[in-house]
Amino acid sequence: MPSQVPLDRWFSSERAMGVGASVLIGLVTVTTWSTAWSDWNLYRTRRTYGDDADKLSEANLISGSLGIVAALALFAAAVVFIVWLWRVRWNAEMFCRGEHRYSRGWVLGCWLVPVVNLWYPKQIVDDVVAASDLRTDPLTPQLKDVPGTRLVWAWWLTWVSGLVTGNIVQRGVLAGASQLGDLRTNVILSSVSALFTTGAAVLAVILIQRIDELQSARPWVPWWAVGTPQNGFQPPAR
C-alpha cells in the first residue's frame, strides 16, 4: 500500500538506540567466539582423555553454559536491533512517500518466518536506506527502484553465511555429536561461523551508523510538506 500521512508521531533521532544495538552486537561477537572455543575445548578433551566421564562432563558443562550466555546475548541484541529498525523505518516513511516493499509489521515478522528471513530483512533495510538518503526524491513512488548499496549486500551475505554455518553446528550439538570426527567438524564450522558473524557484526555497526548519518543529514521535513513554507507548517502534537 502507498505510504499514508502518519499524523500520530514525528521524526526522532535513534542514535542512542543505535549505539545500544551496536554494543550488544559487539557482545554477540564475543560470545560467538566463546562458544567456538568451547567446541574446540570439547574436541580437545575428547581427543586427549577419550571416554573419561568426568572430563567430558566438565567440557560439556562449559559448552552448555557458554551456549546459554550466547543465546541470551543474541536475543538481547536482536530485540534492540529490531526496535531500532522499527523506529528508523518510521522516520523513513516520513522522509519519502515511496512505497516500501513490505508493511511495517514485517519489520518484526521477517526475522521469525522461515525461508523469507533469508531475504526480507535485507530488502526492508534497503528501503530504509533509500528513503533516508538525501539524494532520493521525497515523492519517489517506489523505493525498490532505488539501487541498493554494497554495504547492505555485504552485511546481509556475511550474516546469512554465519547463520547457516551456525545452525549446522547447533544441529550437531543437539544431536549429541560425540565422535571425534564429528566434534572436529563442529570446531571447524564454529570457527567459520564466528568469522562470518564477526564480519556481519562489524558491517552491522557501520550500517547503523550510516543510517543515523543519513537521517541526521536529511532535513526533517515530511514528504507531504515538501514545498510548504516552514512558518506555515507545524508538526503534529505528541
Side-chain angles (χ1 to χ4, degrees):
M1 294 178 61
S3 296
Q4 297 179 348
V5 178
L7 297 178
D8 57 341
R9 64 158 290 158
W10 188 240
F11 292 103
S12 63
S13 172
E14 300 305 330
R15 180 166 299 170
M17 185 65 68
V19 170
S22 298
V23 170
L24 289 172
I25 289 170
L27 179 60
V28 168
T29 303
V30 173
T31 59
T32 299
W33 281 107
S34 296
T35 55
W37 172 85
S38 71
D39 288 336
W40 174 84
N41 181 59
L42 184 59
Y43 165 71
R44 181 186 64 82
T45 300
R46 179 72 173 81
R47 186 184 62 183
T48 304
Y49 299 102
D51 294 328
D52 187 314
D54 291 338
K55 295 292 185 179
L56 290 175
S57 178
E58 180 182 352
N60 278 315
L61 178 61
I62 292 173
S63 179
S65 299
L66 289 177
I68 292 173
V69 172
L72 291 174
L74 180 60
F75 177 77
V79 168
V80 177
F81 180 83
I82 291 172
V83 171
W84 167 83
L85 184 57
W86 179 280
R87 293 182 177 183
V88 295
R89 163 65 182 262
W90 265 108
N91 285 343
E93 288 182 6
M94 296 204 297
F95 279 127
C96 186
R97 184 180 186 175
E99 181 180 0
H100 290 253
R101 273 168 276 199
Y102 306 108
S103 65
R104 201 176 305 123
W106 277 110
V107 174
L108 170 61
C110 68
W111 303 92
L112 304 177
V113 179
V115 183
V116 301
N117 61 2
L118 296 178
W119 74 87
Y120 272 35
K122 174 195 174 294
Q123 293 180 326
I124 287 173
V125 173
D126 275 332
D127 289 346
V128 169
V129 172
S132 302
D133 197 319
L134 183 61
R135 294 170 296 182
T136 303
D137 190 312
L139 299 181
T140 295
Q142 297 283 342
L143 292 173
K144 67 179 181 180
D145 295 333
V146 179
T149 66
R150 293 178 182 177
L151 174 58
V152 176
W153 265 113
W155 160 68
W156 190 246
L157 289 177
T158 51
W159 165 251
V160 170
S161 299
L163 183 67
V164 170
T165 53
N167 280 341
I168 293 174
V169 172
Q170 190 62 24
R171 287 176 183 174
V173 172
L174 292 176
S178 59
Q179 296 300 315
L180 200 59
D182 294 335
L183 293 174
R184 182 171 59 248
T185 300
N186 262 10
V187 170
I188 294 172
L189 290 176
S190 289
S191 300
V192 171
S193 178
L195 285 172
F196 279 123
T197 301
T198 300
V202 172
L203 291 168
V205 170
I206 295 173
L207 179 61
I208 289 171
Q209 182 179 8
R210 177 59 177 158
I211 290 177
D212 176 69
E213 290 173 350
L214 289 173
Q215 295 198 342
S216 298
R218 187 158 189 160
W220 284 13
V221 178
W223 59 264
W224 65 88
V226 172
T228 301
Q230 294 304 296
N231 58 4
F233 174 75
Q234 296 293 329
R238 289 181 289 173

